[in-house]
């Protein structure tokens, strides 16, 4: 009875709050009902938490938000918890970007936080009883935000749904473990005894068993569908694969929350972890590979061909669209200064808009072309990306191919194939191209593209302004 009263009060408060703004939507009220159910189920298993951490994903995939008292769910559902609307689009270090048109330049109005149903989870690595919940933010007018990475991905999924299609995706994430530093300016150092090239060595994984086992256990506790774990090539580098999912939003959230989880568990054990794209100049970078197939209304994989080894028309169209849009969308796949070190010559990572059947040198690989596992693997993105935006970009590229049927270059496996021009390693040029791209505007919306470019250009300015010690060492006494 007590919970029923709470449920009625919470949903009633949410409805009243939305009505007061003239924005009562059936799905938002339904989500409030789901969240009361979620909270009741959570408390029945774990008890009332000490606090609930509200997590809002910004455009850099930094989780920002508030701590809410553990018994404060009613306040969240009432619409009384807010953040400045500009919280979606600060620079990487958190400062406002005036050129974005957000923040104090418009009075920095608040947006109302609303919970994402099904996202209330216990934080196993935290001291005390801590829960976490994802939130989104309504605009000051009460509408879903055009700057929300989650809403952008949802909009791309609607385009698939309108065609009677449903994407299935899986991600792979690489990361590095390293010794705790005394200063953030220090370079990372691998764990003691780590070989320069781990290369799937089981003993390397065994040395970090305590941390890795807790990472997997925490993932299971939070419902993150981990699959295999390996010691990757670089010193202290590991990779976790996730199961394929028809819930693309959930797949993006899995990658997002896994990064928080790994850093949290590593910190608990006196280590640091990073998904930085290229932490060591002479070791492989860390990527986020994405596997993608498409189902029709009958649940059939439209990429599957009856001809062994010969991709069908739909798969080739999808690959053509992903390749044709790759350069325009590079600022999504490589969002930061360090990201572009993966695109330097002699880098270990694929760095060209090319493709091949089961060819790991290609930017897009076709591991399977027949049967239910027929799919392509997108291998360009770093591990430092926003997973929502990357999945939106890749799926938007698929639609570009299915709708426009762009030209497809010959595969790397063809002796007549000519090398594709490499993707650039100029960060400023990539951001500028994204800003002017019609493909990007169709996927992300013009407002988002403008704000994203403004935030990235602010980061470009911040990180290219200072003169580096290397420049003094090479030039000051010689020129």
């Amino acid at each position: 009875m007590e919970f029923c009263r709470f449920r009625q009060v919470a949903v009633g408060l949410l409805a009243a709050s939305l009505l007061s703004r003239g924005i009562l939507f059936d799905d938002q009220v339904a989500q409030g009902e789901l969240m009361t159910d979620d909270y009741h189920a959570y408390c029945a298993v774990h008890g009332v938490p000490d606090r609930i951490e509200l997590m809002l994903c910004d455009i850099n995939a930094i989780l920002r938000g508030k701590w809410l008292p553990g018994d404060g769910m009613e306040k969240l559902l009432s619409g009384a918890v807010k953040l400045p609307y500009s919280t979606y689009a600060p620079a990487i270090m958190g400062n406002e970007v005036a050129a974005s048109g957000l923040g104090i330049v418009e009075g920095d109005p608040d947006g109302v936080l609303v919970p994402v149903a099904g996202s209330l989870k216990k934080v196993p690595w935290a001291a005390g009883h801590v829960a976490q919940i994802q939130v989104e933010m309504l605009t000051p007018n009460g509408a879903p935000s055009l700057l929300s990475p989650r809403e952008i991905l949802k909009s791309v999924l609607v385009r698939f749904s309108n065609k009677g299609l449903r994407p299935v995706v899986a991600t792979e994430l690489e990361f590095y473990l390293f010794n705790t530093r005394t200063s953030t300016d220090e370079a990372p150092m691998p764990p003691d005894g780590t070989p320069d090239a781990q290369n799937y060595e089981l003993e390397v994984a065994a040395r970090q068993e305590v941390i890795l086992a807790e990472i997997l256990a925490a993932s299971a506790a939070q419902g993150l569908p981990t699959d295999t774990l390996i010691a990757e090539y670089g010193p202290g580098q590991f990779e976790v694969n996730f199961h394929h999912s028809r819930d693309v939003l959930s797949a993006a959230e899995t990658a997002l929350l896994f990064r928080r989880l790994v850093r949290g568990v590593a910190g608990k054990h006196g280590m640091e972890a990073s998904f930085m794209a290229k932490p060591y100049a002479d070791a492989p970078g860390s990527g986020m590979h994405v596997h993608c197939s498409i189902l029709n209304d009958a649940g059939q994989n439209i990429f599957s061909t009856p001809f062994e080894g010969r991709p069908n028309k739909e798969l080739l169209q999808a690959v053509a669209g992903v390749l044709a849009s790759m350069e325009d969308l590079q600022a999504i796949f490589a969002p930061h200064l360090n990201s572009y070190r993966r695109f330097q010559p002699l880098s270990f990572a694929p760095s060209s808009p090319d493709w091949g059947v089961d060819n790991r040198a290609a930017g897009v690989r076709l591991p399977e072309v027949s049967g239910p596992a027929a799919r392509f693997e997108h291998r360009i993105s770093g591990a430092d990306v926003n997973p929502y935006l990357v999945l939106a970009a890749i799926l938007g590229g698929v639609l570009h191919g299915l709708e426009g049927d762009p030209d497809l270059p010959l595969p790397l496996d063809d002796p007549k194939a000519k090398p594709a021009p490499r993707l650039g390693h100029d960060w400023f040029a990539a951001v500028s191209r994204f800003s002017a791209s019609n493909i990007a505007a169709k996927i992300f919306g013009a407002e988002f593209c403008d704000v994203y470019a403004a935030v990235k250009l602010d980061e470009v300015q911040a990180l290219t302004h200072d003169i580096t010690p290397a420049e003094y060492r090479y030039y000051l006494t010689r020129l």
Side-chain angles (χ1 to χ4, degrees):
M1 289 295 293
E2 182 178 347
F3 171 70
C4 291
R5 285 196 296 272
F6 167 78
R7 190 173 194 271
Q8 291 169 351
V9 169
V11 175
L13 286 169
L14 177 65
S17 174
L18 295 171
L19 273 172
S20 70
R21 298 170 174 82
I23 52 168
L24 181 56
F25 299 119
D26 289 342
D27 61 337
Q28 288 169 330
V29 174
Q31 182 151 296
E33 293 176 341
L34 287 173
M35 281 312 309
T36 56
D37 290 342
D38 286 352
Y39 183 71
H40 172 63
Y42 178 95
C43 293
V45 174
H46 304 291
V48 177
D50 300 329
R51 70 171 184 268
I52 304 173
E53 296 182 348
L54 311 183
M55 306 181 302
L56 180 82
C57 177
D58 76 6
I59 62 175
N60 286 309
I62 303 297
L63 293 171
R64 305 185 185 275
K66 294 184 175 185
W67 286 7
L68 190 70
D71 59 358
M73 183 63 73
E74 187 175 302
K75 182 177 180 180
L76 177 62
L77 293 177
S78 75
V81 183
K82 303 175 183 179
L83 280 175
Y85 182 60
S86 60
T87 307
Y88 269 129
I92 186 69
M93 296 304 292
N95 56 288
E96 290 183 358
V97 178
S100 70
L102 302 171
I104 199 63
V105 297
E106 63 166 359
D108 210 11
D110 279 338
V112 175
L113 297 183
V114 293
V116 174
S119 66
L120 181 63
K121 308 287 184 183
K122 194 173 188 293
V123 182
W125 62 89
H129 182 182
V130 179
Q132 67 180 39
I133 190 170
Q134 291 172 252
V135 293
E136 286 290 288
M137 187 160 41
L138 303 179
T139 69
N141 295 325
S145 173
L146 297 177
L147 301 179
S148 161
R150 191 172 192 272
E151 287 294 325
I152 287 170
L153 179 54
K154 284 172 66 176
S155 71
V156 175
L157 295 175
V158 167
R159 292 174 59 192
F160 275 93
S161 180
N162 290 341
K163 293 178 174 293
L165 300 175
R166 183 169 187 171
V168 177
V169 301
T171 63
E172 303 171 357
L173 267 174
E174 297 167 330
F175 63 93
Y176 275 90
L177 291 175
F178 49 93
N179 295 323
T180 299
R181 300 164 300 153
T182 58
S183 165
T184 56
D185 290 333
E186 289 182 24
M189 289 293 293
D192 298 341
T194 301
D196 291 339
Q198 297 180 162
N199 204 12
Y200 311 118
E201 188 176 333
L202 290 174
E203 187 173 330
V204 169
R207 290 175 194 163
Q208 302 301 330
E209 181 179 3
V210 173
I211 294 178
L212 297 177
E214 185 164 342
I215 286 171
L216 294 178
S219 297
Q222 293 200 326
L224 305 184
T226 56
D227 190 7
T228 57
L229 182 150
I230 59 171
E232 255 292 351
Y233 198 92
Q237 187 183 36
F238 298 89
E239 179 186 86
V240 168
N241 296 349
F242 300 97
H243 290 290
H244 289 255
S245 175
R246 298 186 184 191
D247 187 341
V248 176
L249 288 173
S250 178
E253 282 146 10
T254 290
L256 178 73
L257 298 179
F258 182 76
R259 298 197 308 201
R260 164 181 157 94
L261 181 155
V262 169
R263 288 191 292 266
V265 172
K268 176 182 173 182
H269 290 275
M271 299 282 286
E272 291 188 62
S274 180
F275 292 81
M276 184 176 173
K278 187 82 169 174
Y280 299 108
D282 298 323
S286 291
M288 188 183 87
H289 299 169
V290 177
H291 293 254
C292 178
S293 55
I294 307 292
L295 305 182
N296 59 21
D297 278 339
Q300 299 165 326
N301 186 344
I302 70 168
F303 291 163
S304 179
T305 177
F307 305 105
E308 188 67 31
R310 290 168 53 189
N312 71 6
K313 177 183 176 182
E314 288 79 10
L315 179 52
L316 293 178
Q317 285 179 316
V319 171
V322 168
L323 295 180
S325 59
M326 192 175 283
E327 191 171 4
D328 279 16
L329 305 179
Q330 188 182 3
I332 297 294
F333 306 134
H336 306 293
L337 172 64
N338 178 260
S339 310
Y340 289 81
R341 292 189 178 275
R342 293 179 66 247
F343 296 93
Q344 299 284 353
L346 303 181
S347 170
F348 289 84
S351 55
S352 299
D354 48 25
W355 69 285
V357 176
D358 199 16
N359 189 327
R360 284 183 168 83
V364 175
R365 168 179 170 251
L366 308 187
E368 299 281 350
V369 298
S370 60
R375 66 194 189 277
F376 69 82
E377 178 190 12
H378 186 279
R379 297 173 53 81
I380 291 295
S381 296
D384 57 344
V385 296
N386 184 314
Y388 290 116
L389 299 182
V390 163
L391 291 181
I394 294 171
L395 294 175
V398 171
L399 288 170
H400 180 66
L402 295 177
E403 295 170 350
D405 197 16
D407 292 336
L408 178 68
L410 292 173
L412 291 178
D413 323 87
D414 193 308
K416 298 179 181 178
K418 297 180 180 179
R422 295 175 64 90
L423 293 170
H425 50 80
D426 185 326
W427 186 22
F428 175 80
V431 174
S432 299
R433 180 165 182 138
F434 176 85
S435 177
S437 167
N438 290 329
I439 294 174
K442 186 172 183 179
I443 296 170
F444 297 98
E447 179 180 340
F448 178 87
C449 290
D450 289 345
V451 170
Y452 186 83
V455 170
K456 291 291 106 183
L457 290 174
D458 180 83
E459 191 178 336
V460 171
Q461 170 64 19
L463 290 179
T464 58
H465 175 269
D466 293 343
I467 298 174
T468 66
E471 291 174 82
Y472 289 135
R473 184 169 67 251
Y474 273 76
Y475 303 130
L476 193 62
T477 61
R478 289 177 171 82
L479 299 176

